[in-house]
Amino acid sequence: REPLPFDGNPQAQAALGITGRELDVLRELAEGRSNKEIGRRLGISHETVKTHLARLYERLGARGRAEAVLLARELGLIP
């Protein structure tokens, strides 16, 4: 049986209130990029990246970058 294609778990995304932009930041975070690199790639300031990360940590109940990525993967938000 073939696995289902990755869909980013829109139900969990909606339930947690994660925005599309926060998801973009989360994907970059999962690639191991720094706040400055994320900001450059997404065309936002690193201060805005920090704001998105703080909201993501709160929504996911994470205490830091690694935990946020781990929880997001467990929830199927990122591959």
Side-chain angles (χ1 to χ4, degrees):
R1 202 159 99 83
E2 229 177 281
L4 293 171
F6 179 78
D7 73 349
N9 195 347
Q11 295 87 352
Q13 203 180 319
L16 293 167
I18 294 174
T19 67
R21 197 49 149 174
E22 288 168 349
L23 205 52
D24 293 340
V25 170
L26 192 54
R27 286 188 196 106
E28 296 293 326
L29 185 68
E31 294 293 323
R33 296 195 172 88
S34 71
N35 289 3
K36 278 189 178 161
E37 288 173 314
I38 294 170
R40 254 196 315 275
R41 290 177 62 93
L42 298 180
I44 57 180
S45 76
H46 75 278
E47 289 299 323
T48 302
V49 173
K50 285 189 341 195
T51 300
H52 285 312
L53 288 175
R55 289 207 185 108
L56 279 165
Y57 297 164
E58 197 177 307
R59 295 183 205 283
L60 291 167
R63 288 184 297 272
R65 297 170 90 84
E67 191 177 14
V69 170
L70 181 70
L71 290 167
R73 285 201 172 116
E74 285 175 0
L75 288 166
L77 297 170
I78 54 176

